[in-house]
Each structure stands twice: as structure tokens, then as C-alpha cells.
Amino acid sequence: HNVAQRGVQVSDCLRLCSVHRKRRRRTTWMSPRNLEFEPLSTTALILEDRPANLPAKSLEETQRHKMEYDEMVAGAKRREMKEAQRKKRQMKERHRQEDIISNAMVVWNNEILPHWDNVYVSGTRRVRELWWQGLPPSVRGRVWSLAIGNELNITPELYEIFLSRAKEKWRSYSETSSVNDSESDGGASLADRESSLDLIKLDISRTFPSLFIFQKGGPYHDLLHSVLGAYTCYRPDIGYVQGMSFIAAVLILNLEEAEAFITFANLLNKPCQMAFFRVDHELMLKYFAAFEVFFEENLPRLFSHFQTNNLTPDLYLIDWIFTLYSKSLPLDVACRVWDVFCRDGEESLFRTGLGILRLFEEVLLQMDFIHIAQFLTRLPEDLQAHTLFTAMANTHMISRSRRWAQVFSALMKDVNKEMDKNSSPALRS
Amino acid sequence: MAYAYLFKYIIIGDTGVGKSCLLLQFTDKRFQPVHDLTIGVEFGARMITIDGKQIKLQIWDTAGQESFRSITRSYYRGAAGALLVYDITRRDTFNHLTTWLEDARQHSNSNMVIMLIGNKSDLESRREVKKEEGEAFAREHGLIFMETSAKTASNVEEAFINTAKEIYEKIQEGVFDINNEANGIKIGPQHPTTNSTLSGSQGGQHAGGGCC
């Protein structure tokens, strides 16, 4: 019933939004019609003669003022007409987008999802195209979980088991910590507690703080806590690693609890995510190196600008890859990036990164180290999905006729060779 | 803007002690009670004046979780100053100082100035670490020490600036070789219009160019 309740909340929210939008639409529709006769902002502007206690205007002056007045009114009219037209265009575009989404929803629900296995395996051009345009929010979670799959064969029951273990741990922790709070320091038990329990609590409040839904008292606070807690019990060898809370949060926003956990665990089990969340530095460097191959190929000028400024990809990619862009991009744009990630896999994450660099290439070329570093670790909040996706579409993941996977495995072979020779001098500790 | 020197700083310490909040208070003069979690590293910059000279601080604000240590280690290189932060309301963050210090000493330039900071001094009622303990730790390890509050801005300005003063004095004494950029100090550009003059001092973390 939990899920059903949430469904109700969400649909209520959607209804509210659409009512709100309709109301706004009506007011914007009213104004352009009135405009022709009575520009709103200029009705208060009245041309008057000078007060009686001042010398009267000369005829010439009166005429000049009349002309100036007319020009001002005409100018204001023009501006308002333009603004009204812009709004009309915007509204049209929004309607168009809404139509596209509702059409897409029908196609996903009736044609694609019922035949998932066939469609997905064949990966038709049409489906891929539809996918690139963005999954309709109502099917997004389902498509994500199907695309990520469940190689680990986790069942909802297994989730419940790990969740109750996590709850057991929290209970015993809160009991012991209230008894001997500051006395017990050092030791493995503390490290264990710090890495899993305290930290999860601390980080949940720092996950999408501006949304106010994961913070204490927020509707999804406990859910996020549960999913992360269950994961640390399921994979104690990995435990909780910062960045996970963002991934779990995005999944919780799109999937029901157990399904979110299953998708979360399977997502983290992918090779790229595993390399990052294990903080396998050597392997991470290989991903960065592969990224640089495509960076140089796609954006040679920016690449050399970054090189002269010593701006290495780890400085910005770590945040981007760890959170799958959910922390650095606006949430709606991040969801579009996740759509493509579910379609194309890890390669798309690096393609997104290159898309961002391409989108801001001209600006970045004018910046020095610190400004680039600041810019890339705090991207503009008004970044639009369609501009990013155009930049991504113009990014080619082929270098000397090798694809991402080939470039990456070639770099991995280098590691093995180096290891054979018993030397890995280039790698930082 | 023209500057006489550029100093690279690194802010380290356990997660949640207020590293990013200290940086934000110093660069933007504001406090964000719920700050986004830092993954990897974030950056800040500000110009200060010492002895009538303009000094640009380039600040690297690192992630605090233990798992990220291997990444953070590569950011010490080329740092002239480090702010080692703990939370006076969480004893464990004070207990971990030794490992942080070992890490810092091992991976940085031996002349790097380290400022120990006990943050959240506004939360007196929840204090778990006495000020004297912080002072004693700093004395024992040859660090400068201050208690700060990123929330009220108390001592924040001082913490960043006193660290720079110490570095500046070391330059005057000739301890730092300012021509070696691995020391985290760069002499300001002769021609303030060129951008490329910043290169070299900051990245620093490559062993051999090429890969990352």
C-alpha cells in the first residue's frame, strides 16, 4: 500500500501542476489581444502640460514632446508585442513537447514494454531514437530497471532480509552509543560504524538538499536510509561510499522501494561503477585515459588548452561519474543522461562529459586553471537538455576507427604488460 | 587581476567537519546550513593582501571519506598550505587527525604550512573536544591552531590569512624556493593579461604527463 500511496501523492502533485499551468496559460492568452489597443505598461504614461505656476511650453517644445511621447508609446507597444509573440512561441513549444511525451508514452506502453525482450535485443532504430529523445517520466523507472537488469538475481525478499539486518544494526548502535558515547574511540568497530551508519545519516541530509524530500522529516528520508543501509549489509566489502546516496535518490524518485534497491545493486555492479565505488585508482586512471583519447579526437583545441593548464580529467570526472551527473546537472537533464546511459552503457557517461565540454568549449578556452576547475565542478544551473543533447550528438565515440570498448581494452592490456614487467611508474599511489 | 604570488591550499579532514562551508564563508562570505556533499574535489579562489602585496589563494576542497584517501593524496602535490579541519562536536574527527597528518606529511612538500582548525565553535553546548586539546595537538606537531565557526564567520578570515602569512614569512626567510613550482607558490604574472601563466603550479599531480 506504500507504493499506492506514493502513486497518489505523485499524481496529486501532477494535477496541481497542470492546474497551475492552465491558469497561467489563460492569463498569458488574454493579454496579447488587449495589447493592440492598450499597451499595459504605458497606460500610466500620460502626456501633460506644465503646471500653471511654471512658464508654458513653446509650441515647438510641445510638438517635440508630443513626438517623443508617441515614440515611447510605439516603442513600448513593439516590445510588448514581441514579448507576447515570444511567450506564444514558448507556449507552442511546450505544447509540442507535451504532445511528444504523451505520444511517446503510448508507444512505450503499448508497443515496446510488452515486447521488451524482443525489442531490446533487436534494438531497432526507432526505439533507439525514441529513447534518445527522453523517456516519458511515467515509464522511465520501468525502462531503467529493465535495461539495467537483474544479473544478481536479487528478489524483493532478499532486500527485506538485508533491510532487517540493517535495522538490527542501527538499533544496537543507537543503544551502545547512548551508553558509552565518547569513551570508545579507535578500533575497527568505530571505523565500521563511521563508514556505514553515521555517515549515511550525515550524507542523506546533504543529498539534493534543495529538493527538501530526503532530509529528516522529508517524505523519502527513511526510504533512502533503508536502501543505502540494506546495500551496506548486502555488500559489506564495498560498504557505503559517498556518491551512492545520489544514485539511490534518483532511483527512489522513479521506482518503488524494493525495485529501487534491486536496480541500485545491479547498477553498482557494472564494471565502471564497481571500479569507481571500490575507488580502484589504477582502473579509474584507465577510464580517464580512455576519456582523454576521445577528448583529443573530438575537441583538439580544448584538449591542448587543458593540457597547458594542467587540468586533468579526474578533477571534474570523479564527481560526474560517481553520481552519474545527478549532482552536477539539473535533475531533469540528469534523468535524460541516465536514459542514454541505460541505452548505451558506460561509454555514454564519457560521451556526456565530452558533450558538456563541447557545449562550453568557447567559454572554457578563455579561462585559466582555477576558473575552468570551478566552472566544471559547478555547472550552470540553467543548462538545457536540448543544447547538451545536440552537443552529445555531435560527439563521436570513434577514435582511429576504434570504439570506446576497444580503446579501453587496449589501455587495459598496457596495464597488464606493465605489471608483467613488474613496473607501473606512471601510476600515482 | 595582477598578483604578486599565488598560493595553492588544500583543505583536508573527516567528512562533515565543515570544509566546504569554511571555503564558502571565506570566498563568498555566506553560510549554507545544508551544503551539497563534496565528491572528489571542489575549488575556490580569493585575493588577499599581505605586507601590501596581492596574493591569490587557490583552494582545493577535498572529499573527506576514508575511501577517497587514495584520490585526495594526489592533490597534496604542489600545495603551499593545508587546512586540517576537525569538528569540535565530534571527537572521532579529532581522533583521526594523526592519520590525516601522516598522509599530509608523506605526500606534500616538507615546507607545507599546516593550520589545524577546530570548526563549529558556535556549537559550544555540544562540544566534545576542548580547545586545550586542539592547542596541545598543534603544539606537539608543530602546527598553527585556531577554532573557527563557518556559521558565524568567527576566525575564518584569520585562519586562511594567517596560513598565508606564515607561507609569506617562509618565502622571506628563503625557506621556500619560489622558482620551484612544486612548492605550491607561483610568482604573479608580469603581464596580467596572459592566462597561461597560471599553468604548472596547480595540476602537479602527474608523474609523466599523458594519462590524467
Side-chain angles (χ1 to χ4, degrees):
Chain A
H1 69 281
N2 198 2
V3 182
Q5 234 171 8
R6 259 198 312 147
V8 171
Q9 278 169 9
V10 170
S11 68
D12 274 354
C13 171
L14 287 178
R15 207 173 311 131
L16 274 175
C17 291
S18 76
V19 168
H20 186 65
R21 207 160 43 221
K22 265 180 210 147
R23 222 176 269 155
R24 285 208 352 230
R25 201 178 290 166
R26 193 167 306 137
T27 51
T28 45
W29 273 110
M30 299 281 285
S31 43
R33 232 165 275 157
N34 297 343
L35 266 181
E36 315 246 344
F37 313 99
E38 210 179 4
L40 297 171
S41 59
T42 45
T43 46
L45 186 67
I46 298 161
L47 185 65
E48 278 188 77
D49 283 332
R50 288 218 180 106
N53 58 343
L54 292 174
K57 292 178 189 175
S58 69
L59 189 65
E60 196 191 335
E61 205 182 2
T62 313
Q63 248 163 5
R64 202 182 67 230
H65 283 174
K66 170 94 175 80
M67 259 166 65
E68 282 170 359
Y69 171 80
D70 288 345
E71 263 169 39
M72 277 160 75
V73 172
K77 258 190 199 173
R78 272 197 305 275
R79 274 196 301 279
E80 285 183 16
M81 288 297 282
K82 237 185 181 168
E83 177 62 11
Q85 277 166 355
R86 194 186 62 82
K87 281 210 175 121
K88 202 172 157 183
R89 270 201 308 274
Q90 220 175 36
M91 205 54 70
K92 243 187 179 165
E93 175 59 24
R94 191 184 291 172
H95 288 164
R96 205 178 64 87
Q97 287 297 336
E98 281 172 9
D99 287 346
I100 290 174
I101 289 174
S102 61
N103 287 339
M105 205 170 74
V106 173
V107 178
W108 279 101
N109 277 326
N110 299 345
E111 298 174 35
I112 306 173
L113 287 172
H115 317 285
W116 179 262
D117 290 330
N118 306 330
V119 172
Y120 187 54
V121 171
S122 61
T124 62
R125 213 191 146 95
R126 180 165 167 254
V127 173
R128 286 181 61 81
E129 186 55 37
L130 206 55
W131 205 323
W132 176 267
Q133 282 160 10
L135 298 172
S138 59
V139 298
R140 180 166 266 153
R142 207 154 148 235
V143 176
W144 284 359
S145 78
L146 283 167
I148 289 167
N150 187 6
E151 254 186 355
L152 298 168
N153 289 318
I154 301 172
T155 57
E157 290 74 27
L158 189 65
Y159 168 63
E160 290 301 331
I161 292 169
F162 284 114
L163 178 58
S164 60
R165 269 189 212 170
K167 285 184 172 160
E168 192 57 45
K169 263 180 135 183
W170 290 326
R171 243 194 315 278
S172 64
Y173 170 50
S174 60
E175 278 161 17
T176 54
S177 71
S178 57
V179 178
N180 50 354
D181 203 356
S182 54
E183 283 164 36
S184 63
D185 36 74
S189 66
L190 186 95
D192 177 52
R193 274 189 282 167
E194 197 244 16
S195 64
S196 50
L197 305 169
D198 260 358
L199 198 49
I200 290 175
K201 211 161 60 181
L202 183 70
D203 282 355
I204 284 177
S205 67
R206 301 193 284 172
T207 304
F208 297 120
S210 56
L211 293 183
F212 299 112
I213 50 176
F214 297 106
Q215 284 60 48
K216 206 166 175 79
Y220 292 174
H221 172 270
D222 293 348
L223 262 180
L224 185 52
H225 208 246
S226 297
V227 169
L228 293 172
Y231 186 77
T232 59
C233 290
Y234 170 66
R235 286 303 296 259
D237 58 326
I238 297 172
Y240 167 73
V241 180
Q242 289 184 326
M244 284 183 182
S245 62
F246 285 85
I247 296 185
V250 173
L251 290 171
I252 284 169
L253 287 173
N254 288 282
L255 287 162
E256 150 303 308
E257 183 172 351
E259 204 55 44
F261 175 79
I262 294 169
T263 310
F264 180 70
N266 280 284
L267 172 57
L268 295 194
N269 201 47
K270 304 220 169 271
C272 176
Q273 275 61 44
M274 213 20 104
F276 276 72
F277 282 104
R278 276 181 186 281
V279 198
D280 181 338
H281 210 158
E282 229 167 82
L283 204 48
M284 286 165 72
L285 290 177
K286 290 295 150 194
Y287 277 102
F288 299 149
F291 172 79
E292 286 200 303
V293 169
F294 293 93
F295 186 1
E296 186 172 18
E297 186 80 34
N298 277 280
L299 306 160
R301 272 168 73 218
L302 193 63
F303 178 76
S304 75
H305 181 63
F306 274 32
Q307 285 220 315
T308 35
N309 280 287
N310 260 325
L311 208 122
T312 50
D314 55 321
L315 300 182
Y316 50 95
L317 276 185
I318 285 179
D319 175 79
W320 292 355
I321 303 296
F322 262 99
T323 63
L324 276 84
Y325 296 91
S326 58
K327 182 168 161 279
S328 40
L329 290 177
L331 196 51
D332 61 317
V333 186
C335 284
R336 292 276 310 271
V337 169
W338 282 46
D339 292 345
V340 181
F341 169 69
C342 289
R343 191 190 77 168
D344 296 350
E346 66 181 36
E347 164 183 335
S348 76
L349 295 178
F350 298 93
R351 189 180 183 191
T352 303
L354 291 172
I356 294 172
L357 295 180
R358 177 184 294 273
L359 182 57
F360 297 110
E361 182 177 19
E362 292 308 317
V363 199
L364 292 168
L365 279 169
Q366 304 307 315
M367 292 180 179
D368 60 13
F369 171 85
I370 189 71
H371 290 104
I372 299 173
Q374 282 182 294
F375 185 92
L376 293 179
T377 49
R378 197 153 308 158
L379 293 169
E381 280 167 26
D382 58 355
L383 196 148
Q384 300 281 318
H386 66 272
T387 55
L388 174 61
F389 272 65
T390 308
M392 282 165 66
N394 291 327
T395 300
H396 304 291
M397 297 303 276
I398 288 182
S399 167
R400 292 186 207 127
S401 65
R402 290 180 309 166
R403 304 192 63 87
W404 170 267
Q406 291 165 300
V407 169
F408 186 73
S409 64
L411 286 160
M412 289 304 291
K413 270 185 208 134
D414 292 346
V415 184
N416 296 338
K417 257 187 236 155
E418 273 170 31
M419 282 184 173
D420 288 345
K421 280 189 282 174
N422 242 344
S423 64
S424 53
L427 298 168
R428 291 184 250 150
S429 62
Chain B
M1 204 151 78
Y3 51 83
Y5 295 107
L6 183 146
F7 297 165
K8 172 180 167 178
Y9 277 16
I10 179 169
I11 313 182
I12 49 172
D14 274 10
T15 184
V17 296
K19 296 182 293 297
S20 300
C21 290
L22 281 167
L23 176 60
L24 191 70
Q25 183 58 261
F26 179 65
T27 56
D28 291 31
K29 302 203 187 312
R30 63 194 170 93
F31 176 70
Q32 232 176 348
V34 233
H35 197 277
D36 254 357
L37 169 67
T38 306
I39 315 275
V41 58
E42 287 179 11
F43 299 87
R46 210 188 106 180
M47 203 74 90
I48 58 168
T49 311
I50 286 172
D51 198 20
K53 293 203 166 58
Q54 291 281 83
I55 292 172
K56 185 169 180 166
L57 299 183
Q58 179 196 89
I59 306 151
W60 296 45
D61 167 28
T62 62
Q65 196 187 4
E66 172 83 38
S67 341
F68 288 100
R69 282 297 169 89
S70 64
I71 296 172
T72 318
R73 276 183 199 125
S74 57
Y75 299 146
Y76 285 109
R77 260 191 68 180
L83 306 187
L84 171 52
V85 189
Y86 68 93
D87 173 354
I88 65 152
T89 72
R90 276 166 57 209
R91 170 148 305 266
D92 53 330
T93 67
F94 181 76
N95 293 337
H96 296 153
L97 287 177
T98 328
T99 46
W100 278 112
L101 202 57
E102 275 168 18
D103 241 30
R105 291 254 155 91
Q106 201 181 334
H107 295 92
S108 70
N109 177 289
S110 57
N111 291 316
M112 183 172 79
V113 172
I114 304 175
M115 161 76 80
L116 178 66
I117 292 178
N119 190 36
K120 308 198 187 178
S121 65
D122 54 292
L123 300 175
E124 194 53 54
S125 61
R126 282 163 49 194
R127 180 188 281 276
E128 284 185 9
V129 183
K130 289 199 210 81
K131 191 175 177 187
E132 292 73 37
E133 295 176 83
E135 283 166 348
F137 186 92
R139 216 173 18 249
E140 190 186 329
H141 295 92
L143 318 174
I144 339 172
F145 173 69
M146 287 196 122
E147 281 197 349
T148 61
S149 164
K151 188 175 181 181
T152 67
S154 157
N155 271 345
V156 172
E157 195 80 3
E158 289 80 354
F160 282 86
I161 290 174
N162 291 356
T163 309
K165 277 186 186 153
E166 186 98 356
I167 298 168
Y168 185 76
E169 275 166 28
K170 282 196 174 185
I171 296 174
Q172 304 298 62
E173 291 162 12
V175 178
F176 272 124
D177 173 12
I178 48 172
N179 295 315
N180 179 357
E181 284 172 16
N183 286 328
I185 296 162
K186 173 129 184 73
I187 305 169
Q190 301 302 311
H191 309 287
T193 44
T194 55
N195 277 337
S196 57
T197 41
L198 268 181
S199 66
S201 65
Q202 352 27 27
Q205 64 266 42
H206 310 216
C211 103
C212 164

